[in-house]
Amino acid sequence: FFIGEQHEDWVNIPSYKKDWRRYALGAVLTIGAVVFVFYEYSIRYPRSEPEVTRKPPQLNKSEEHFDFLEHAHRAQAEVAPDFSLDEVKVEFEKKWEGKARSLLCSACKIVAHQIGVELDERNATDQPNPASLLNATKEAVLAACQP
């Protein structure tokens, strides 16, 4: 093989064997690009060591439950009605006779929907402790039942 001359068998060699240098160079450049991308990613988003989570100071669990029970009992005492559910059902059936069941079901659905709206407005699901959840629930029920 002389420089500038083609050997007579050069024509019979498949093209993929002729271009192996081009393929090798392409593979090296592709690998270099991938390594560069990973390097840039590791620079931009470094691996952070997992943070040690410190536990908040523990309250005595019995005191915490007792406090919740105290709030719950106070809430029950404040809203204690002068009537029972059975008394209301009997009076409602007397007044509305045959339509009592369908009216009661419709009223329950309307009131339940309104209480749900009021709870959403007061962000009741994100309250930090049970006492504030009770207060938000109480306010929502009172607001829903106001005429």
Side-chain angles (χ1 to χ4, degrees):
F1 287 23
F2 295 107
I3 297 178
E5 287 186 24
Q6 281 191 331
H7 193 269
E8 56 192 40
D9 292 333
W10 189 254
V11 178
N12 296 330
I13 298 175
S15 66
Y16 69 89
K17 289 188 177 181
K18 293 180 193 175
D19 296 334
W20 70 270
R21 289 182 191 99
R22 186 182 319 162
Y23 294 128
L25 181 62
V28 168
L29 290 176
T30 303
I31 291 170
V34 169
V35 168
F36 178 74
V37 167
F38 281 130
Y39 174 75
E40 287 295 321
Y41 183 80
S42 68
I43 297 287
R44 209 170 271 183
Y45 305 105
R47 178 183 285 181
S48 61
E49 295 297 321
E51 294 181 17
V52 177
T53 56
R54 294 186 180 137
K55 293 181 181 177
Q58 292 290 328
L59 297 175
N60 188 352
K61 296 235 184 232
S62 62
E63 290 176 13
E64 189 176 307
H65 292 294
F66 182 73
D67 191 37
F68 173 72
L69 284 175
E70 184 179 321
H71 284 291
H73 289 301
R74 260 193 256 141
Q76 282 178 344
E78 290 176 5
V79 185
D82 300 342
F83 47 84
S84 70
L85 183 60
D86 293 330
E87 293 171 353
V88 172
K89 282 183 179 180
V90 169
E91 184 179 340
F92 196 79
E93 284 178 6
K94 283 181 185 175
K95 188 172 183 178
W96 299 104
E97 295 177 15
K99 299 176 185 175
R101 185 179 252 346
S102 64
L103 285 172
L104 189 58
C105 287
S106 298
C108 287
K109 290 176 184 175
I110 291 169
V111 170
H113 174 72
Q114 187 60 33
I115 289 174
V117 168
E118 295 291 335
L119 285 171
D120 287 341
E121 286 179 5
R122 286 165 177 72
N123 203 11
T125 56
D126 294 333
Q127 296 298 320
N129 57 38
S132 58
L133 175 63
L134 281 174
N135 287 335
T137 305
K138 178 181 167 186
E139 290 172 6
V141 169
L142 291 175
C145 294
Q146 292 299 323

